Amino acid sequence: MGAPPGYRPSAWVHLLHQLPRADFQLRPVPSVFAPQEQEYQQALLLVAALAGLGLGLSLIFIAVYLIRFCCCRPPEPPGSKIPSPGGGCVTWSCIVALLAGCTGIGIGFYGNSETSDGVSQLSSALLHANHTLSTIDHLVLETVERLGEAVRTELTTLEEVLEPRTELVAAVRGARRQAEAAAQQLQGLAFWQGVPLPLQVAENVSFVEEYRWLAYVLLLLLELLVCLFTLLGLAKQSKWLVIVMTVMSLLVLVLSWGSMGLEAATAVGLSDFCSNPDPYVLNLTQEETGLSSDILSYYFLCNQAVSNPFQQRLTLSQRALANIHSQLLGLEREAVPQFPSAQKPLLSLEETLNVTEGNFHQLVALLHCRGLHKDYGAALRGLCEDALEGLLFLLLFSLLSAGALATALCSLPRAWALFPPSDDYDDTDDDDPFNPQQESKRFVQWQSSI
């Protein structure tokens, strides 16, 4: 099948399309985009479940590491203030992990923007295609109504005025038959008939994309705040802040793995669609609209092998309009000198014919496959290039985020164990009356005085 102009499946599409797929029984599933089939749905769910498996393994690893750290570390001598060996390495490994997470956040913002741009291009192309199809229907309706009005009024008036001349009446009736024939042929050009399929798809895609974009922005901001406040807690050696951020890091870790599963399944399904989109789009459009395969193939493929299915109607309509024009010129030469009252309906008919011919030329241009096929190509480029690229950057963000947070969760408990035990009061003034140490000394002095 012919590819739309400017669209070629990218290397990422080919790579993801070649990945093996399997259902819940681990039976191979073909890499053909078929979202309505249960086996294909199971294959995508299995891809998403791999992220759940990764989450489970990372939680098990973190739990084992922390249990080993809590239970197997050597006891410290009482009153010892010497930091345990490797403390600086633990703190710096946590800082490096958090900085890597911040890098992933920057990648995530870029991927989120790129995905949004691709979806916006898809929606714009669909809306433009819907406008073109609606314009075709409107022009056909307007032209047919004008021709019908001309048959009912001006041509009827001419017949009454020219009744004494039978040969002129025959010419008027010939123009009437040509106008009716042109209207009948033009009616068949309104093939879309107001089906709101592109508009519905564009609105649904925009609605989902709006909430997807907002959800990712909130996730990225949440992780950024967690990273920044964790670094602040490490810098100030604030144990309570580090503990709170550890709990938040665990929450963001779960969200990162969840988003990774959604992104992986979406990327795999999108690669299957983008590797050969024509069959699925043709079948879906035919089911929703009931149009013939000739019409759909002409607009979706737009190559020399597929002829214009409206060419015959356009030719017959143009021929009928040309005949009407020549008959009106003949009537103007023959009838106006003898019947001056025929001049007004003839001028009105010429005006109607000029408007009809202008609409006809617009229809010829709009019915050509170039315009709609260009919209189809723009929609595919937005979905399969920009949106898929942004999705892969989001997948990289989730991967970096999960790795960085897992490392931080392993390092943070060891880091706060190295904090001074009186870190909450190190910065208080000895003369501060609200200092708990000073209150304890005053209480002891009061007891001794009694």
Side-chain angles (χ1 to χ4, degrees):
M1 291 197 174
Y7 171 73
R8 293 291 184 276
S10 64
W12 286 111
V13 170
H14 288 297
L15 179 61
L16 293 172
H17 185 62
Q18 297 301 322
L19 294 177
R21 291 146 178 73
D23 58 10
F24 290 164
Q25 287 77 32
L26 300 182
R27 294 175 299 190
V29 175
S31 300
V32 178
F33 188 70
Q36 71 280 359
E37 295 183 3
Q38 184 178 3
E39 292 79 6
Y40 189 80
Q41 296 173 3
Q42 292 179 0
L44 294 183
L45 289 175
L46 195 60
V47 172
L50 293 177
L53 178 62
L55 173 62
L57 292 176
S58 64
L59 292 178
I60 292 173
F61 174 78
I62 294 170
V64 171
Y65 181 85
L66 294 180
I67 290 173
R68 180 179 178 277
F69 165 70
C70 294
C71 300
C72 300
R73 63 175 178 174
E76 297 181 359
S80 174
K81 295 186 178 181
I82 302 175
S84 61
C89 181
V90 170
T91 303
W92 278 107
S93 65
C94 183
I95 292 174
V96 170
L98 292 173
L99 292 177
C102 292
T103 304
I105 292 171
I107 295 173
F109 273 110
Y110 174 77
N112 196 37
S113 176
E114 196 73 10
T115 303
S116 180
D117 291 343
V119 175
S120 297
Q121 184 176 348
L122 169 65
S123 300
S124 299
L126 290 173
L127 291 175
H128 190 268
N130 185 76
H131 175 72
T132 300
L133 295 168
S134 302
T135 303
I136 292 174
D137 289 346
H138 174 72
L139 285 175
V140 170
L141 179 62
E142 179 185 355
T143 306
V144 170
E145 287 182 352
R146 281 182 175 275
L147 289 174
E149 184 69 19
V151 169
R152 290 190 299 269
T153 56
E154 285 87 1
L155 288 175
T156 302
T157 303
L158 277 177
E159 285 188 19
E160 295 174 353
V161 171
L162 303 176
E163 187 176 2
R165 296 284 301 274
T166 56
E167 69 278 8
L168 297 180
V169 173
V172 173
R173 290 176 179 173
R176 177 195 293 270
R177 288 193 296 271
Q178 293 295 331
E180 293 173 347
Q184 183 179 3
Q185 295 297 330
L186 289 172
Q187 281 181 340
L189 299 178
F191 66 96
W192 196 250
Q193 297 178 350
V195 178
L197 179 61
L199 181 62
Q200 287 180 351
V201 174
E203 290 178 348
N204 293 336
V205 167
S206 299
F207 177 79
V208 174
E209 171 59 22
E210 181 180 355
Y211 285 96
R212 185 211 64 80
W213 180 86
L214 180 60
Y216 267 99
V217 168
L218 293 178
L219 176 61
L220 290 164
L221 292 177
L222 176 62
E223 183 171 351
L224 180 61
L225 291 176
V226 168
C227 291
L228 293 179
F229 277 105
T230 303
L231 291 172
L232 179 64
L234 291 174
K236 293 189 122 350
Q237 294 190 344
S238 176
K239 185 174 292 187
W240 69 268
L241 182 58
V242 172
I243 292 175
V244 171
M245 289 301 105
T246 301
V247 176
M248 294 299 297
S249 298
L250 182 61
L251 172 63
V252 178
L253 177 67
V254 175
L255 294 177
S256 297
W257 279 106
S259 65
M260 189 187 305
L262 292 176
E263 292 150 7
T266 305
V268 170
L270 198 56
S271 68
D272 293 339
F273 170 79
C274 295
S275 63
N276 189 15
D278 294 339
Y280 179 77
V281 176
L282 280 170
N283 293 333
L284 177 63
T285 309
Q286 190 168 20
E287 290 177 2
E288 295 293 332
T289 62
L291 294 174
S292 65
S293 58
D294 294 338
I295 297 177
L296 296 177
S297 299
Y298 173 69
Y299 286 107
F300 282 112
L301 305 183
C302 194
N303 53 35
Q304 299 296 330
V306 183
S307 60
N308 189 344
F310 304 108
Q311 189 60 50
Q312 184 178 2
R313 288 183 177 274
L314 291 172
T315 302
L316 294 176
S317 299
Q318 186 177 19
R319 189 178 302 166
L321 293 176
N323 291 335
I324 295 173
H325 188 70
S326 62
Q327 288 171 349
L328 289 181
L329 290 178
L331 287 172
E332 189 174 0
R333 288 194 307 267
E334 299 290 336
V336 172
Q338 301 180 27
F339 303 95
S341 59
Q343 185 173 9
K344 184 177 179 180
L346 281 172
L347 291 176
S348 179
L349 281 172
E350 288 180 358
E351 181 182 356
T352 300
L353 187 61
N354 291 333
V355 174
T356 302
E357 289 179 343
N359 291 346
F360 178 79
H361 290 305
Q362 291 187 50
L363 282 173
V364 171
L366 292 173
L367 286 170
H368 196 277
C369 64
R370 283 192 302 266
L372 289 174
H373 193 63
K374 184 178 180 180
D375 294 333
Y376 178 47
L380 288 181
R381 287 193 301 274
L383 182 63
C384 300
E385 292 179 4
D386 295 341
L388 181 59
E389 180 184 350
L391 201 59
L392 293 176
F393 277 109
L394 288 176
L395 187 61
L396 179 60
F397 148 71
S398 298
L399 188 61
L400 288 174
S401 173
L405 291 174
T407 304
L409 284 171
C410 291
S411 304
L412 284 175
R414 295 190 63 184
W416 85 53
L418 300 173
F419 293 168
S422 58
D423 65 304
D424 292 333
Y425 309 109
D426 282 348
D427 296 333
T428 56
D429 190 357
D430 291 339
D431 296 332
D432 186 0
F434 296 102
N435 189 339
Q437 296 177 359
Q438 296 297 325
E439 290 182 3
S440 177
K441 289 180 182 180
R442 286 196 296 271
F443 180 73
V444 172
Q445 291 175 0
W446 176 75
Q447 281 188 331
S448 62
S449 63
I450 294 177

